[in-house]
Amino acid sequence: MTCVLFDFDGPLADLFADRPAVRVAETLRQRAQKLGVPAGVLRGVRDPLLVLRKAAWHGATNVIRELQELLADEETQAARSARPTPHADGLVRSLVVSGRQVAVTTNNSARAATVFLKERGLSRFFDQHIHGRAADPTLLKPDPDCLTRAMTSTGTGPAECLMIGDSVSDLEAAGKAGVSFVGYARSPHKMVALRDAGAVHVVGSLEVLADLVRLQNSHPVQCAGSG
């Protein structure tokens, strides 16, 4: 494994820790309705990404573009107060020390991920390998689009990559891309959902992975085969 692909919201940050996602979803719903998306299509939708996906089925290109920009603005504001995932910083740094590449593969905006990583002092490790939501909402995970873009930018293939994600859509995207997967579950509910969806490896803390990489860094010869 020479490249690790991180989902953003979950494995790296709790993006909406201080700016609830349901409030962002409501902002998007209101704007979408003003732009002509039928209210019934979005009634009860509490996930901003699901609002965008549903609106894409009923809105014109200019409507989707405006909603994309609004959501990116909301995510970027949220990123400024997002809570870092425990042990994520250490894991990223240990991976880079080990000579591995890291990339972000997220359904959130690349701008939001970039802002967060810059404030954490991690952006230089990811360089140009932050791959966020495409202009076309149908390419959101579980479509493997952002994973494919990450492999292209890092010059790696599926057999060389591992994805760390916290959702079933991450697991499905990794499967479609042919990439190995480790689930991160910060709650029992997520643990069950990932296990039920077929995830073989799921951790409740990134400390487990950080310790493993640090062990490999300390004993590269003995651990070379554990890749």
Side-chain angles (χ1 to χ4, degrees), residues 58-82:
H58 297 272
T61 302
N62 64 310
V63 172
I64 304 310
R65 185 183 303 115
E66 184 167 338
L67 292 178
Q68 283 270 32
E69 292 174 357
L70 175 59
L71 180 53
D73 287 344
E74 291 282 347
E75 289 170 333
T76 301
Q77 291 184 57
R80 299 186 191 283
S81 60

Side-chain angles (χ1 to χ4, degrees), residues 26-27 40 42 45 47 63 98 114-115 117-118 121 126 130 178 185 188 191 203 211-212 227:
E26 176 61 24
T27 299
L42 304 175
V45 181
D47 181 338
V63 172
S98 74
T114 299
V115 165
L117 293 170
K118 185 175 182 179
F126 290 88
I130 299 176
M191 180 76 73
V203 297
D211 286 346
L212 176 61

Side-chain angles (χ1 to χ4, degrees), residues 1-8 11-12 95 101-106 126 129 131 141 144 146-154 156-158 160-166 170 173-174 177-182:
M1 180 265 294
T2 61
C3 183
V4 176
L5 312 177
F6 284 87
D7 179 39
F8 171 48
L12 290 174
L95 286 167
Q101 295 188 80
V102 292
V104 171
T105 51
T106 177
F126 290 88
H129 310 309
H131 301 279
K141 290 177 287 186
C146 60
L147 282 75
T148 301
R149 285 186 276 130
M151 287 188 282
T152 298
S153 78
T154 57
T156 56
E160 302 169 276
C161 294
L162 169 74
M163 181 179 186
I164 300 175
D166 72 332
D170 290 328
V179 170
S180 298
F181 181 83
V182 171

